[in-house]
Coordinates of all heavy atoms in Angstrom, one line a residue:
G139 N 65.2 -13.4 189.7 CA 64.3 -12.9 188.7 C 63.1 -12.1 189.1 O 63.0 -11.7 190.3
K140 N 62.2 -11.9 188.2 CA 61.1 -11.0 188.3 C 59.8 -11.6 188.7 O 58.8 -11.0 188.8 CB 60.9 -10.2 187.0 CG 60.7 -11.1 185.8 CD 60.7 -10.3 184.5 CE 60.5 -11.2 183.3 NZ 60.6 -10.4 182.1
I141 N 59.8 -12.9 189.0 CA 58.6 -13.6 189.5 C 59.0 -14.3 190.8 O 60.2 -14.7 191.0 CB 58.0 -14.6 188.5 CG1 58.9 -15.8 188.2 CG2 57.6 -13.9 187.2 CD1 58.3 -16.8 187.3
P142 N 58.1 -14.6 191.7 CA 58.5 -15.2 193.0 C 59.1 -16.6 192.7 O 58.8 -17.3 191.8 CB 57.1 -15.4 193.7 CG 56.3 -14.3 193.1 CD 56.7 -14.1 191.7
L143 N 60.0 -16.9 193.6 CA 60.8 -18.1 193.5 C 60.0 -19.4 193.4 O 60.2 -20.3 192.6 CB 61.8 -18.3 194.6 CG 62.8 -19.4 194.5 CD1 63.7 -19.3 193.2 CD2 63.8 -19.4 195.7
H144 N 58.9 -19.5 194.2 CA 58.1 -20.7 194.1 C 57.3 -20.8 192.8 O 57.1 -21.9 192.3 CB 57.0 -20.7 195.3 CG 56.0 -19.6 195.2 ND1 56.1 -18.3 195.5 CD2 54.7 -19.7 194.7 CE1 55.0 -17.6 195.3 NE2 54.1 -18.5 194.8
K145 N 57.0 -19.7 192.2 CA 56.4 -19.7 190.9 C 57.4 -20.1 189.8 O 57.1 -20.9 188.9 CB 55.7 -18.4 190.5 CG 54.5 -18.0 191.4 CD 53.8 -16.8 190.9 CE 52.6 -16.5 191.7 NZ 51.9 -15.2 191.2
A146 N 58.6 -19.6 189.9 CA 59.6 -19.9 189.0 C 60.0 -21.4 189.1 O 60.2 -22.1 188.1 CB 60.9 -19.1 189.3
T147 N 60.0 -22.0 190.3 CA 60.2 -23.4 190.5 C 59.1 -24.2 189.9 O 59.4 -25.2 189.2 CB 60.3 -23.7 192.0 OG1 61.4 -22.9 192.6 CG2 60.6 -25.2 192.2
G148 N 57.9 -23.9 190.1 CA 56.8 -24.6 189.5 C 56.8 -24.5 188.0 O 56.6 -25.6 187.3
L149 N 57.1 -23.4 187.4 CA 57.2 -23.2 186.0 C 58.4 -24.1 185.4 O 58.2 -24.7 184.4 CB 57.4 -21.8 185.6 CG 57.6 -21.4 184.1 CD1 56.3 -21.8 183.4 CD2 57.9 -19.9 183.9
A150 N 59.5 -24.1 186.1 CA 60.7 -24.9 185.7 C 60.3 -26.4 185.7 O 60.6 -27.1 184.7 CB 61.8 -24.6 186.6
I151 N 59.6 -26.9 186.7 CA 59.2 -28.3 186.7 C 58.3 -28.6 185.6 O 58.4 -29.6 184.9 CB 58.6 -28.6 188.1 CG1 59.6 -28.5 189.2 CG2 57.9 -30.0 188.1 CD1 59.0 -28.6 190.6

Side-chain angles (χ1 to χ4, degrees):
K140 57 190 178 184
I141 65 175
L143 186 58
H144 70 279
K145 291 185 177 180
T147 302
L149 179 61
I151 293 171

